[in-house]
Amino acid sequence: EKALLGLASVCLQRRDTTKAKPLLEQVAAANPSSAEALTKLAEIGLEAREFDEAYRLAGKASRLASGDGGAWLCLGQACAKTGRTEEAFQALERGLVLEPGNAAAMSTLAGLYVKAGRDQEAIPWLKRVVEQNPDDYDASLSLAQLHAARGVGG
């Protein structure tokens, strides 16, 4: 199992999902409780725009490995893509507790809050993204727009 997961990881680093996916499916078939394989399959599903399948796989992975931030972040992304906004908030926030430096997840979470009209909840996440990456134009612009709408400077 470890060898197959390792080989799949190498394929994924090379962005070769066509080779990685069957390896991960083999691991998941042999060990249905392999959260790592399920999470990686869910990530492949997200990239392939197979959002419902990604949601199913990431949900199972996060239930199997409740302390795995990657599984929760993947679930959050899948929830966002399938319109499960409240579940996305919960999964992304839980994932960010476990992996606090994930700027992509912070941006997704902030964007979801803005879409939901929950600007006050978006602002701290956008600030964290900008602190981590001052060159992030989209996060900086969103933050400035939210502050301007509230009549707040900086």
Side-chain angles (χ1 to χ4, degrees):
E1 179 178 329
K2 275 192 177 237
L4 290 175
L5 284 170
L7 186 54
S9 292
V10 169
C11 293
L12 289 173
Q13 287 171 352
R14 296 179 180 168
R15 314 277 309 147
D16 189 349
T17 57
T18 57
K19 287 183 182 173
K21 187 174 180 180
L23 295 169
L24 294 166
E25 288 170 337
Q26 187 177 346
V27 171
N31 180 5
S33 63
S34 174
E36 183 178 354
L38 294 169
T39 300
K40 288 179 192 242
L41 283 167
E43 290 168 351
I44 290 171
L46 284 172
E47 284 184 30
R49 303 185 61 79
E50 297 168 355
F51 302 131
D52 288 326
E53 181 65 1
Y55 171 76
R56 184 185 70 76
L57 292 166
K60 186 174 181 184
S62 64
R63 287 188 300 275
L64 288 168
S66 62
D68 181 353
W72 286 105
L73 294 176
C74 187
L75 177 60
Q77 298 286 355
C79 290
K81 294 293 187 182
T82 57
R84 296 170 171 95
T85 306
E86 286 302 320
E87 192 175 348
F89 292 144
Q90 294 169 8
L92 288 167
E93 287 186 359
R94 186 160 182 185
L96 285 164
V97 166
L98 298 165
E99 290 188 18
N102 191 308
M106 287 187 265
S107 291
T108 298
L109 183 57
L112 289 171
Y113 278 132
V114 169
K115 269 188 188 174
R118 294 164 63 174
D119 297 351
Q120 283 298 112
E121 292 166 276
I123 289 171
W125 293 109
L126 289 169
K127 283 182 177 179
R128 287 178 61 188
V129 172
V130 172
E131 285 169 8
Q132 188 173 322
N133 183 6
D135 295 330
D136 188 318
Y137 175 81
D138 292 329
S140 296
L141 179 62
S142 294
L143 188 58
Q145 289 171 333
L146 290 176
H147 282 313
R150 294 177 55 228
V152 175

